[in-house]
Amino acid sequence: MEIDNSKENGNTEVELTETENELYDRQIRLWGLESQKRLRTAKILISGLSGIGAEVTKNIILSGVHAVKLNDSNDVTEDDFCSQFLAPRTSLGKNRAESSIERARALNPMVEISADTQPISEKNEEYFRGFDVVVITGAPNSELLRIDEICRRNDIKFFAGDVWGMFGYTFADLKDHTFVEDVAKHKVISKPNEKVKTELVTTTVQRELKFAPYQAVVDFDITTPAYQKKLKRTGQALILLRILQKFREEFKRDPSYKTRENDLKELLRIRDKVGNPELITADYLENTFSQISPAAAVVGGVLAQEIIKTVTKKEAPNCNLFLFDPLTCCGFIESIGVN
């Protein structure tokens, strides 16, 4: 089933070259030629080249999009060597986006890759209009809210995500998102009075989801009885996200292993203000320093897959918050502000 809108029709008019058909053969067989054509025209902004940013960058480039802009004003630090595999160790002290270019281009020479070293906070609305998808990591809530509002006004798909130690999250605001998915049903093929025989028949169905803005996550009341009841089943990862974002807003950085003792005290102080101190223990917060490679791989992989699903319009996206719990090492979806 083809989605009927002008933008998508424009995307699928692009023809793949013989080399592209050969390179993306497995993907074409997996999600179809039309989906690969949509990827071929997509322009993606990835801001924040930490470990999770590197994971997203790798997977998006390998998928075969048209262009990727790597934005980061920070320099490579020793922390990056825990999970950031695009920047070589010789790039210590150099800009993180520029240091990631060479290895990023080696992943797929057919993708246009460029670096931008200006802070994302200095980018105006016109800058974001040049992209189909905007992915922001390492930013405070205030900046995520600003960029999400810009993306909603300009019909740009917005994603956010981060990793702190072994904890991570992803968020998607796709506004009004149309997609297709395959629905399998058993059809009776036997004749009357015969033993019932069935076969599995797959049909393609078009669906639509309406996403809430990031403001819904910021405003979500974690003290309601209904949510407190859910904590026993899902865990307290959303509360942890709120604590870490408040730490980032207040100190303009993330908790550091270099100042672990003091930062842990500050995290506990913020926890007491946020609420549920009995759930968020000091041991729980110990898992939030630096970006650990396995967590970056899992959360970054989920985020990249959601971007690919969004661009290809294939399969239902996660709606809308994915949380990866550091204690159980399990992820779950929390739908916030979605009707």
Side-chain angles (χ1 to χ4, degrees):
M1 179 179 292
E2 199 64 37
I3 297 174
D4 185 19
N5 63 55
S6 59
K7 187 174 182 179
E8 286 305 314
N9 290 339
N11 281 346
T12 56
E13 288 176 2
V14 174
E15 294 299 327
L16 301 183
T17 65
E18 184 177 343
T19 303
E20 288 173 324
N21 277 305
E22 182 179 347
L23 178 63
Y24 305 129
D25 175 68
R26 179 178 175 275
Q27 295 176 183
I28 292 172
R29 286 186 279 116
L30 179 64
W31 52 52
L33 179 60
E34 299 309 307
S35 293
Q36 190 63 47
K37 287 181 179 180
R38 292 189 182 100
L39 280 170
R40 183 65 185 87
T41 61
K43 298 177 182 179
I44 316 291
L45 169 66
I46 301 176
S47 179
L49 271 294
S50 58
I52 182 177
E55 288 286 350
V56 174
T57 297
K58 175 197 69 176
N59 291 324
I60 293 302
I61 290 174
L62 290 175
S63 73
V65 298
H66 174 65
V68 175
K69 175 78 74 175
L70 304 180
N71 168 265
D72 201 319
S73 61
N74 296 313
D75 293 335
V76 177
T77 67
E78 292 180 347
D79 280 8
D80 291 315
F81 299 143
C82 294
S83 57
Q84 218 284 22
F85 52 83
L86 290 178
R89 288 184 175 270
T90 54
S91 63
L92 186 66
K94 299 178 182 178
N95 178 266
R96 203 156 54 175
E98 292 180 333
S99 298
S100 301
I101 281 285
E102 184 176 353
R103 289 182 177 178
R105 286 175 175 163
L107 292 169
N108 190 345
M110 294 188 183
V111 178
E112 296 179 12
I113 304 171
S114 57
D116 184 344
T117 63
Q118 187 181 25
I120 196 69
S121 59
E122 297 179 7
K123 300 298 185 181
N124 59 22
E125 187 160 341
E126 184 63 29
Y127 176 80
F128 295 101
R129 288 179 184 150
F131 304 98
D132 302 296
V133 177
V134 169
V135 187
I136 307 294
T137 71
N141 273 344
S142 57
E143 199 58 30
L144 296 178
L145 291 169
R146 181 185 76 89
I147 297 173
D148 187 26
E149 288 179 4
I150 290 174
C151 289
R152 288 183 73 83
R153 286 196 297 269
N154 293 277
D155 197 24
I156 301 166
K157 306 303 183 183
F158 173 82
F159 290 89
D162 250 310
V163 168
W164 290 268
M166 286 296 293
F167 165 73
Y169 87 99
T170 72
F171 169 81
D173 179 6
L174 311 183
K175 203 176 178 182
D176 299 332
H177 181 63
T178 304
F179 61 97
V180 296
E181 63 179 345
D182 296 330
V183 178
K185 294 183 178 179
H186 286 278
K187 179 182 178 182
V188 177
I189 60 173
S190 56
K191 297 179 180 180
N193 302 321
E194 290 184 345
K195 184 178 180 180
V196 177
K197 295 181 181 179
T198 64
E199 66 177 4
L200 196 62
V201 178
T202 301
T203 56
T204 303
V205 180
Q206 180 170 310
R207 303 190 189 281
E208 182 176 347
L209 284 173
K210 294 184 180 295
F211 282 71
Y214 187 71
Q215 186 72 57
V217 176
V218 175
D219 294 341
F220 182 72
D221 187 358
I222 60 175
T223 64
T224 61
Y227 180 70
Q228 291 294 313
K229 188 177 181 180
K230 284 181 62 178
L231 289 176
K232 297 179 180 179
R233 177 170 53 87
T234 61
Q236 55 271 36
L238 179 56
I239 301 174
L240 180 58
L241 173 60
R242 187 154 295 184
I243 293 170
L244 290 166
Q245 278 288 19
K246 286 185 179 297
F247 184 100
R248 179 180 286 174
E249 289 277 359
E250 185 173 337
F251 295 98
K252 312 302 179 187
R253 62 174 178 84
D254 290 333
S256 171
Y257 70 92
K258 295 179 180 178
T259 53
R260 177 185 292 270
E261 186 176 345
N262 287 334
D263 284 359
L264 186 56
K265 290 179 181 178
E266 295 297 339
L267 287 168
L268 291 170
R269 176 184 60 80
I270 295 172
R271 175 207 64 180
D272 293 341
K273 288 185 177 180
V274 169
N276 295 93
E278 68 280 359
L279 293 177
I280 308 293
T281 64
D283 290 340
Y284 196 63
L285 293 169
E286 285 278 2
N287 295 304
T288 60
F289 290 84
S290 297
Q291 290 196 6
I292 307 303
S293 183
V298 171
V299 180
V302 169
L303 181 50
Q305 183 60 32
E306 289 304 300
I307 296 167
I308 292 170
K309 286 159 60 176
T310 298
V311 173
T312 61
K313 301 282 187 177
K314 192 79 171 178
E315 298 183 21
N318 291 339
C319 192
N320 50 356
L321 185 66
F322 169 81
L323 295 159
F324 186 72
D325 191 281
L327 291 185
T328 63
C329 291
C330 293
F332 63 94
I333 305 299
E334 191 77 67
S335 295
I336 296 180
V338 180
N339 297 323

